[in-house]
Amino acid sequence: MSDLPIADHALLSDRHSAALVTRDGSIAWLCFPRFDSESVFASILDDNAGHWSIRPSAPSTSTRAYVAGTMALQTTFHTDEGTLELLDALELGGGVDPHRLGENAPHTLLRGVRCTSGRVTIEMVCRPRPEYGLVVPVFAEIDSGVVATGGSGRLTLSLPAPVTGLGGEIRVRFTLEAGQHRYFALQRTRLGEPLPGAYSQAAIAAGLAATTASWQQWSAMHQSYDGPWRELVHHSGRVLQALSYQPTGAIVAAATTSLPEEIGGARNWDYRYSWVRDASFTMKALWVAACPDEAHEFFAFMTAAAAHSRPDRHLQIMFGIGGEHDLSERVLPQLAGWRGSGPVRVGNGAWDQPQLDVYGELLDAAFRLRGQLGDIEPATRTFLVALADAAASQWQQPDNGIWEVRGAPRHFLYSKLMCWVALDRAIAMADQLHATDRIDEWSTTAAQIRATILEKGWNAEAGAFTQAFGSPELDASSLMMSIVGFLPASDPRVLATADAISARLMDTRGLVYRYQTDTGVDGLTGTEGTFLLCTFWLAHVLAAGGRSGEAREVFERAVSHINDVGLLAEEIDSETGEQLGNFPQAFSHVGLVNAAWAIQQAESGNPADEGRAPENAS
C-alpha cells in the first residue's frame, strides 16, 4: 500500500490524532493518542508497518464521500452480488459544546459496515505494528474482541464475529444480507491503565451516530461563508478543524510525516507540528471558514508556546502540539518510505533555525484578533512588544527564510518584509500594547526597512521583486508584499512580479513553484513539485489587483487537483499531476480559503483589507 497515490487517502480526526483511509477501506496511517505519537498503522510508508482493512472478499469497485458537514467517511463497495457501505470515524466523545469539539475523545477508531443490497462477504484484516512498525504485538482473544499488547500501549479490537485467523494479524470473515450491519472499534490505552472491555455493537453504532452529529453541529454553528466555491471553503474549514489539537488549539501543518516532495527524493519532512508562520495565514482562513473562537485558540497556543522561549535565543519557529520546544530530528531506518522515498524522518531539524519572518507572523495574527483580545494581559503585551523590538534589532541579519532552507543563510526579501509587518502591526496596536512610547522608534525602523526593500528587493534584470537582496531569482513568497499590505495589489511592481512568476515560475499545468531548486539556494539535492499555497497566492494577488478573471483561472487550476473527498497535499507533480508531500496539508487549504475570499471581495467591489477580519465570517 506504500505505492498507492497520496490522493487515494482520506482523513479521519478526533482533534487529537489522525488516520488516513484508502479507497479500498484500509487504514494506512494512524497515530495514537496524538497527531505526533508513534504510529499504530503506517503502511503508507512501508507495506510491513501495519494496516487495518475492511472490504468485500469478492472483487469490487468503490466510491466514497464524507457524510455532509462532517469528517466521517462513507465508502461504498459494489460487487456482482451486492453493495456494502463502510462508515469510518475517529470517535469525538459526547456531551460537549460544539466549541469544544473532541474534548472527550476516547482515542477510539470506529468502523461500521452495512449491506444495502444483495449479499456481501466481508473480510477484515487487522495488522497493528506499533512504534512505526518496530513492534509485532502479542494477541489475546477476549469476549467479542482481541487485545494486542506491545510497545507503550495496548489495543483493544472489538469485533462483530469470531476470529478466523490469529497469527501476526487478526482475521475475520462473515457475510451480510441486505439490511444487515455490523460494527468494529479499536481502542488505545497506555500500559498501566485499566484494560477496557470490547465495545458492544450498540455502543459503536451510537458512537458513530454521535460523532457524525457532533461534526454537523459544529458546521452548522460555525460555517457561514456564502461566496464562490462555498462547499470547498466550508470543507477546508472542517479540514483545518480536523488538523487542530483540541487540548491546546495548536494546528498541525499536516497529518503525516515524510510523504515526499519528489518521488524517490530525500525532501521528506515531519509536518505533525505547529508552525508560528502558519499563524497569520491561518487566522484569516479560520475567520472565513470556521469562526473567531478557533482563531483565538490557535493564537493563544502560539503566544503561550513562543513566550516561554529562552530570551537569549531567536524566537523558535515551530512547536510540538503540546507546546514542546525540542523537536530534534531522527531517521527511522525500518521504514522504506512512500514509493521508496526515504529517509523517513520524525522530528524536524528546522525547529532551531533563525527565521526572522515569525515576528511579523505573530504580530499580524494579534492584529487580526485585536477586536477580540480587548485588554491584553500584561505578560502577552510584554511578549508582543518584545517581538516588535526583536524585528527592529534583527531585520538586517541573514536567516534561513520562509522555506527553511538548509543552505547558507541569506538576506531573504520575505524575512525583511515580515519584519516590516511586525513593526507596522505593533504601531497600529500601540495603545492596546501600552507601548505608545515606542511608536517613534518603531516608525523610524519600519521606514528604513521599507526603503531598503524597495531599493534592494526590486531587481531590474528580473523585472520583479526577487527572492533575496542582490539575487535575480524569483520566489513566490514575494507575492505576499501586497497580501500583507506593504504595497497595493494594483501597484505596477506587484503586478509585474505576478506576471514574472506566471511566466518563469509556473509549470505547464499553470501551477506555481516556490522557487527554482536548481540554484542550490536550499542546500538540498533533487527537485520538488509545484506548491499549491503559492498558486493560491497568485490567484489572491491577481484578484486584489483587479484581474479577477485571471484569478479565477488560476484558482480553478489549483482546485482541479483536489481529490475525490476534497483534500489537498502540499504539492503537485508537474509531470504526472499527482499530489505530493504531506497530506492533507493545512497550508493548501488555508490558501484555498483566503484566495476564494479575495476573489469574492474583488468581484463584489469590496477589495480585501488585509488587516481586517472578513465581514462575512461568523
Side-chain angles (χ1 to χ4, degrees), residues 271-545:
Y271 276 12
R272 297 172 299 159
Y273 308 113
S274 200
W275 267 252
V276 173
R277 177 173 301 110
D278 296 16
S280 63
F281 298 135
T282 305
M283 206 66 67
K284 189 202 307 182
L286 291 173
W287 273 90
V288 175
C291 93
D293 288 340
E294 277 69 23
H296 197 284
E297 287 177 2
F298 186 34
F299 176 75
F301 164 76
M302 278 298 175
T303 53
H308 290 91
S309 297
R310 281 174 46 181
D312 59 332
R313 298 178 69 252
H314 53 264
L315 180 68
Q316 189 161 319
I317 59 105
M318 71 176 86
F319 301 94
I321 55 176
E324 298 85 1
H325 285 231
D326 186 350
L327 306 180
S328 296
E329 186 175 287
R330 62 189 175 96
V331 169
L332 301 179
Q334 72 271 22
L335 298 178
W338 180 78
R339 295 189 184 172
S341 302
V344 172
R345 298 178 171 96
V346 294
N348 195 303
W351 72 274
D352 201 30
Q353 287 184 351
Q355 296 175 23
L356 300 181
D357 62 290
V358 294
Y359 302 124
E361 249 80 63
L362 271 179
L363 277 159
D364 189 55
F367 183 67
R368 293 192 185 284
L369 281 177
R370 62 195 182 281
Q372 285 65 47
L373 293 176
D375 188 15
I376 303 172
E377 63 181 26
T380 302
R381 287 201 308 267
T382 300
F383 173 59
L384 294 175
V385 169
L387 292 181
D389 287 339
S393 65
Q394 297 176 26
W395 74 272
Q396 298 182 74
Q397 299 175 9
D399 72 336
N400 294 83
I402 180 175
W403 306 129
E404 300 178 352
V405 302
R406 300 198 176 195
R410 301 193 182 195
H411 290 283
F412 289 107
L413 181 146
Y414 182 79
S415 298
K416 315 302 183 186
L417 172 68
M418 293 310 292
C419 286
W420 175 87
V421 168
L423 295 171
D424 179 76
R425 303 320 192 241
I427 292 164
M429 294 180 67
D431 284 340
Q432 272 182 290
L433 297 177
H434 296 194
T436 53
D437 60 317
R438 311 287 296 127
I439 290 177
D440 288 346
E441 184 176 344
W442 286 342
S443 297
T444 298
T445 306
Q448 184 182 0
I449 298 173
R450 181 181 183 85
T452 304
I453 289 173
L454 293 175
E455 176 190 352
K456 296 184 178 181
W458 177 263
N459 187 284
E461 176 187 348
F465 288 106
T466 54
Q467 184 176 69
F469 290 173
S471 169
E473 302 299 333
L474 296 176
D475 192 304
S477 64
S478 61
L479 292 166
M480 289 297 294
M481 296 185 76
S482 65
I483 293 176
V484 300
F486 182 84
L487 288 173
S490 57
D491 188 289
R493 292 164 295 183
V494 170
L495 293 175
T497 299
D499 289 338
I501 287 169
S502 296
R504 305 199 295 276
L505 209 59
M506 186 180 276
D507 72 352
T508 56
R509 297 174 182 275
L511 305 179
V512 177
Y513 292 102
R514 294 189 293 179
Y515 52 88
Q516 294 293 351
T517 57
D518 58 8
T519 64
V521 65
D522 58 21
L524 299 167
T525 59
T527 62
E528 64 178 22
T530 51
F531 210 74
L532 285 163
L533 175 65
C534 297
T535 306
F536 287 123
W537 282 349
L538 179 60
H540 191 142
V541 170
L542 291 172

Side-chain angles (χ1 to χ4, degrees), residues 232 509 511 532 536 553-563 568 572 577 579:
L232 285 178
R509 297 174 182 275
L511 305 179
L532 285 163
F536 287 123
E553 291 175 4
V554 173
F555 187 97
E556 290 287 359
R557 291 199 295 266
V559 299
S560 71
H561 293 277
I562 212 160
N563 79 350
L568 290 167
I572 301 296
Q579 295 197 29

